[in-house]
Structures are given as structure tokens and as C-alpha cells.
Amino acid sequence: MEMLLKDQLTSADVILINKIDSIDEFTLKEVESSILNFNDSALFFKTSALEKVDDEVFEAMLGGA
């Protein structure tokens, strides 16, 4: 499973971290840092169901960014 996740991260064009409202700021920074170690060129977004998802996120996911 770990290898699948690494492959997905390294080949991603867009990366979303969802449910950021469920974790503290320190943990969020650790997750961001870990992801950036695998892929520092992908578009990167943090999302939460408590906030409106920016149109830029949808455009990026659909390949329009």
C-alpha cells in the first residue's frame, strides 16, 4: 500500500489535502512537508468541508489550470 501511495504522489499533477479542519496546524505542516518530499512540482491545495472549495481547485482537477 505504501508503494502505491508513493507512486500516486510522485506522478500527481494536482494534490489535495482534505479534512484539514480535523488536524492541528503542526500535523498539517508535517503532512505538507512529507508530500513535498515526493512531489514539489504538483499544484497543491488544502480543503475542508467547512469551507467553500475554490473554483481554482476544480479547474486544476479538470486540467484547466
Side-chain angles (χ1 to χ4, degrees):
M1 186 67 163
E2 183 177 336
M3 198 60 166
L4 174 64
L5 181 59
K6 286 180 183 179
D7 288 345
Q8 288 180 341
L9 286 174
T10 57
S11 64
D13 295 324
V14 178
I15 298 173
L16 303 178
I17 299 178
N18 192 22
K19 299 187 179 190
I20 61 168
D21 55 286
S22 301
I23 58 175
D24 60 75
E25 192 65 31
F26 178 78
T27 304
L28 178 57
K29 293 289 183 196
E30 284 187 330
V31 170
E32 287 179 43
S33 177
S34 178
I35 290 171
L36 289 173
N37 282 328
F38 290 101
N39 186 336
D40 63 355
S41 62
L43 295 175
F44 191 80
F45 299 97
K46 295 174 276 190
T47 63
S48 166
L50 301 177
E51 300 176 16
K52 180 184 178 294
V53 177
D54 193 321
D55 289 341
E56 182 182 7
V57 175
F58 292 113
E59 290 172 13
M61 290 170 46
L62 296 172

